[in-house]
Each structure stands twice: as structure tokens, then as C-alpha cells.
Amino acid sequence: MIVTASELQPKHQNLWKRGQLSVEQKNWDYAISLLLPIVKEVPYFLEGRKWLRLAEGEAAGSGRKFSFGGGMFKGGGKKDPWESIADLEENVFQKDPYSVSGNQQLYDLALKVEFADLASFALETICKGQPTNTKVMHTLAEHYMAHGKPKEASKVYADILKLDPKDLHAGKGEKDASARASIEGQGWNSTDANSAKKDNKEANLLEMLNKQGRTQEQTESLLAHFTELYNQDQTNINYVKSMAQLFEELDQTSTALDFYQYALTLNPGDVALQRRTEIIRDKAEDLYIQQMQAHIEAYPDAPDVEEKRAQLAQVRQQRASVMINDAKARVERNPTDKALRYDLGQAFFNSGMFTEAIPELQQAKSNPNIRIKAMLLLGRCFEKKNMNDLAQSAFLDASKELAIMDNTKKEVLYELALVSEKMGKKDQYLEALKEIYNADYGYRDVASRVESSYA
């Protein structure tokens, strides 16, 4: 039933690729304008709907006024369910992506058209907007159980119990869901053939693992196969590392970290694995900080909001200190590695220690693989210290070394434009922006900046 990206028509493929690029560039409004027509015309394209909601949520969090409640949408009536769903996308989620009433209606309509995954998405969206709404969480868990997803249901029940340990219904539900997931898992594994067939299957899977350009659907399928192998031998380092990589690719950072850490216990001497684990741990901690920040912004009037702000500040301070210490330790172990110098410079920059970052980034410039990244961050350090002429010089040098107008060059030119504007050099400001404008009209706010100069 679900339409994948590869199944889209050419006109929608074009919109989809441009929409994804706009999301990656955080150009939220433009991304919404590209993704909305696809979702309305191809309603079973669930991945596109998820990206659309992401862009809407980010746009809302960046300044649009929205609430977690919202009035009841009146556009349904006797319309066809799909028409009502399209109306919700156009008239409700554009303004309030986390609308409880809107997503509840989407859930009901999805059930009418027998689109269980869309119904799940509607409830998941409410839970994202209201992470303490246990009533909706119960509905989501029951929905998962009714549609053969006990593992997902078990996780939701566990989340409910974290919020309310006395919830007896959630306690029983978590046990039932876990038991059912275990039974289904054992049944899945019982179909394994002889060892020769297993070895051949493993070789094919490892080959697929190294294949570039996999779709999300292919990655999920590959993960299912490695899960089968892992359940048969949980001490096989190849299976564990493969699952860690696949969970990472699917942006399931917390689960990926669990598998990376477990892999380290199986092979503690693997330096590359240790570094990968550190990277994913950093990513997981960053995600945790983002979630804390999002919760504070969502509930600014909560009675404990000041306590949570203080907690967030402490977490950030500890995080910055750990990252600097880890980066220093890696540099001390290998002082000639310029990539490690860059990591240390970036850690200093993220902590606001711009003076300390500069010498590290100057050394990192000698590594051709990270030279542009180092020059870009070095320019930002100078700009933060109000040394704008040096910042402009760094951005100019980086721009000259980039022959292709890719995302990196656009970023460099945009920084060059901003610092030129700060210095009052309007001609250089517009020249940098127009270079981006000629290649990518939708990049950030370049179009509005350039066009307003002609007014």
C-alpha cells in the first residue's frame, strides 16, 4: 500500500529531491511548498508526509505561531476521506503541525481508508508534540498491538511507565507486548536452513551492507535480515557491528549506540570501532540536548521550566567539557593527525573558546581532506572575535578553492556575504549572494536578500 520514493512519477521525483535538499538546507518554507503537492497527489507516500511534517514543525519552532491544542477543523463533513486528509494538510498542519484535534482527525480518517501506518503517524505526531500525553500514548500502543507491531507497543508502554510507574494498564500491556514480540521473533528465526546456506546468505548481506545509495526500504530490509542472524549468534562481532551501522543509517541513534557499545565489549581493541562509538555517543547526547530544548520551548509556562533551563545549561556545560577533554586526549595520542586538530578546534568553537580554536584550525588547514572545513570554521572564529577583515579573507580563500557550486561553496559564500554586510561592503555582500542566487534560488534567504536590493 505504501508508495516509496522510487515509485513516484518523474514530476514528483523532481519535487521530492528538491524538497529533501531544502530540508537539508533548513529552508523550511520552501521545502513545505515542494512537499505539500506530492503528499496531496500521492497520499500513500508516507515518507514524504513525514518529511513535510518535519519541515512544518521546524518552521513552527522557528517563529510561526502554533499550539499543541488547536480548534476542531471543520473541513471534513461528507467529503471523501482522502479529500478531508488533503484539507487537513492544507488548512491545519500548515499552521499547527502538532494539532491534537487535527491529528486525531487524521487518525480517524486513516482508519477509514485502512491505512494503518498513516494512523500510527498521526498518533506519533501528537506524542511528539505532547510527550507526556499518556492517554494518546495508550491509544498508540493499542494501535500498534492491533496491527502486529508488539515491539513498538512495548516501547510506548515502557515510556508511559517512565511517566507514571503506577499505571497498571501500561504495566500489563508492556509485559504482553514484550512476550508477543519475543514469540514472533522466535518464530521468525526458526526458518533458518543449513550452515552452508547461512554462510552464503551472510556473504550476500555483507556485500549489500557496503553498497552505496540504498533506499530506506532496502536498509530496513537489510536490518531485518541481520536481526535474524544476530538472534542466532549474539556474540558475532560482524552481526553486531552491522546492526549498529544500519540503526545509525536509519537515524535510530540510541539503539545504534547500544549496539556500538556492545560491539566494543566483544572487541575492545578496535580503535576504529572505539572512535565510531564516541561519534555516535556525541550524536546521542546532542539529540538529548535538542529534545530538552524542544520540551522547554513547547512548555514555556510550566512550573518547573526554570529548573529545566538550569538543568539544560548544566548538561551543555558538561557536554562541552567532555568533548574538549576527549578531543585533547586524541590529539595527545597522535599530535600529527590534522583531522584530530580540527576536531579539537571544533570542540573549542562549540564551547565559545574561539581564541583557543584558532591555532588548532590553522594546523588542520594543512590536511587537504578537511582544508575547506577548517578554513570555514576559522573564518567563523575570526567573525566571532569581531576580526571581520580576517574572517572575510578566510571565506574568500575558501571560495576560490571551490570550483563546483555545491552545498559547501554556498555555505562559504553565504558566510562571506554576511561578514561583508557587517563590514558595510555592500558590493561584495551582493556579489557573493548573487553567485548563490544564479545557482540555487531556494538557498536560505538568498532570493529575498538579492531581490530586495533592486527595490
Side-chain angles (χ1 to χ4, degrees):
M1 180 183 292
I2 292 178
V3 173
T4 64
S6 61
E7 296 172 319
L8 293 173
Q9 295 179 8
K11 67 174 183 177
H12 294 136
Q13 286 273 7
N14 182 44
L15 288 173
W16 171 235
K17 291 177 182 178
R18 289 161 57 198
Q20 284 183 302
L21 181 61
S22 296
V23 169
E24 291 170 0
Q25 295 173 345
K26 299 183 179 181
N27 191 345
W28 309 121
D29 288 328
Y30 187 55
I32 292 167
S33 70
L34 294 168
L35 296 171
L36 181 59
I38 311 176
V39 168
K40 291 175 67 176
E41 295 176 29
V42 192
Y44 284 106
F45 183 39
L46 186 58
E47 185 181 6
R49 200 180 299 269
K50 290 180 178 180
W51 279 64
L52 172 62
R53 201 72 78 247
L54 168 65
E56 289 167 341
E58 291 291 344
S62 300
R64 287 187 179 177
K65 185 179 179 181
F66 70 105
S67 68
F68 290 114
M72 182 65 71
F73 175 59
K74 304 297 184 182
K78 296 182 180 181
K79 285 185 178 181
D80 173 83
W82 284 118
E83 290 182 24
S84 296
I85 289 173
D87 284 344
L88 284 170
E89 292 291 353
E90 183 77 41
N91 300 310
V92 175
F93 300 136
Q94 290 280 290
K95 302 173 184 176
D96 186 350
Y98 299 111
S99 166
V100 175
S101 61
N103 279 289
Q104 183 64 55
Q105 288 178 82
L106 179 59
Y107 170 73
D108 294 336
L109 290 165
L111 292 180
K112 284 184 180 180
V113 297
E114 299 182 350
F115 194 177
D117 288 326
L118 178 57
S120 300
F121 174 60
L123 296 177
E124 290 162 0
T125 303
I126 297 176
C127 291
K128 184 177 180 180
Q130 293 193 344
T132 59
N133 190 330
T134 56
K135 181 179 178 181
V136 176
M137 294 169 75
H138 271 290
T139 303
L140 176 59
E142 291 164 4
H143 175 78
Y144 280 145
M145 288 295 287
H147 291 86
K149 294 185 176 182
K151 185 176 180 180
E152 289 84 347
S154 176
K155 184 180 183 304
V156 174
Y157 280 128
D159 290 339
I160 295 172
L161 289 171
K162 290 177 183 178
L163 295 170
D164 184 7
K166 296 180 180 179
D167 191 325
L168 299 179
H169 180 65
K172 182 178 183 303
E174 199 275 335
K175 291 179 182 178
D176 292 343
S178 296
R180 182 170 160 187
S182 177
I183 292 171
E184 291 183 2
Q186 291 172 5
W188 183 29
N189 294 331
S190 64
T191 60
D192 194 26
N194 57 58
S195 59
K197 182 177 179 181
K198 175 183 173 183
D199 291 342
N200 184 55
K201 179 180 179 180
E202 179 183 346
N204 290 336
L205 290 174
L206 289 172
E207 182 179 352
M208 289 174 62
L209 186 68
N210 296 320
K211 182 180 178 181
Q212 299 295 318
R214 277 185 274 105
T215 65
Q216 179 171 333
E217 186 177 11
Q218 290 171 330
T219 301
E220 290 173 347
S221 176
L222 194 56
L223 176 59
H225 288 303
F226 269 111
T227 301
E228 179 181 353
L229 293 173
Y230 169 76
N231 285 338
Q232 296 165 18
D233 183 3
Q234 298 185 9
T235 60
N236 187 309
I237 185 66
N238 289 329
Y239 302 162
V240 178
K241 288 170 66 175
S242 298
M243 292 183 69
Q245 176 186 330
L246 291 166
F247 276 120
E248 178 187 350
E249 291 178 8
L250 291 168
D251 288 330
Q252 298 184 34
T253 307
S254 178
T255 305
L257 179 59
D258 289 340
F259 276 96
Y260 275 120
Q261 290 176 329
Y262 177 47
L264 267 182
T265 67
L266 298 176
N267 189 7
D270 189 331
V271 177
L273 178 60
Q274 182 178 3
R275 179 62 185 134
R276 194 67 210 161
T277 304
E278 291 173 351
I279 291 172
I280 300 304
R281 185 183 297 113
D282 289 344
K283 185 177 179 180
E285 291 175 356
D286 286 340
L287 183 60
Y288 174 67
I289 290 173
Q290 291 171 14
Q291 290 171 341
M292 289 182 68
Q293 181 66 47
H295 183 80
I296 290 171
E297 292 175 355
Y299 301 98
D301 299 324
D304 61 345
V305 68
E306 293 304 324
E307 179 183 344
K308 289 190 179 297
R309 284 199 178 102
Q311 181 184 359
L312 176 59
Q314 183 179 10
V315 169
R316 280 178 166 156
Q317 184 178 7
Q318 292 172 347
R319 170 98 174 95
S321 178
V322 168
M323 289 193 70
I324 290 173
N325 290 336
D326 286 349
K328 280 183 177 178
R330 288 193 291 272
V331 168
E332 288 171 0
R333 289 195 297 267
N334 193 352
T336 61
D337 190 327
K338 302 307 180 184
L340 297 181
R341 291 285 182 181
Y342 175 83
D343 291 341
L344 179 55
Q346 187 175 48
F348 279 134
F349 179 86
N350 292 339
S351 299
M353 301 170 66
F354 309 119
T355 300
E356 291 80 358
I358 289 172
E360 305 300 333
L361 296 170
Q362 287 173 334
Q363 290 198 51
K365 283 169 55 180
S366 62
N367 183 331
N369 294 323
I370 57 172
R371 176 173 172 79
I372 299 300
K373 287 171 58 179
M375 293 170 73
L376 177 58
L377 196 55
L378 187 60
R380 287 172 173 160
C381 284
F382 289 138
E383 191 274 332
K384 291 291 186 181
K385 289 171 64 67
N386 211 31
M387 302 167 71
N388 298 316
D389 56 336
L390 294 178
Q392 185 185 50
S393 177
F395 295 139
L396 274 170
D397 290 343
S399 176
K400 291 175 183 177
E401 294 189 21
L402 292 167
I404 300 173
M405 181 59 77
D406 56 8
N407 287 335
T408 302
K409 181 154 187 174
K410 293 173 194 173
E411 188 176 1
V412 169
L413 286 169
Y414 191 81
E415 293 284 359
L416 175 60
L418 294 185
V419 77
S420 297
E421 181 185 36
K422 189 176 178 182
M423 297 170 70
K425 297 184 176 181
K426 187 174 181 180
D427 289 344
Q428 294 181 24
Y429 158 74
L430 286 173
E431 182 182 351
L433 289 178
K434 287 178 182 179
E435 194 170 348
I436 304 172
Y437 183 93
N438 284 331
D440 185 356
Y441 180 90
Y443 187 79
R444 298 194 187 183
D445 60 347
V446 166
S448 62
R449 284 176 175 268
V450 170
E451 291 168 2
S452 65
S453 70
Y454 289 88

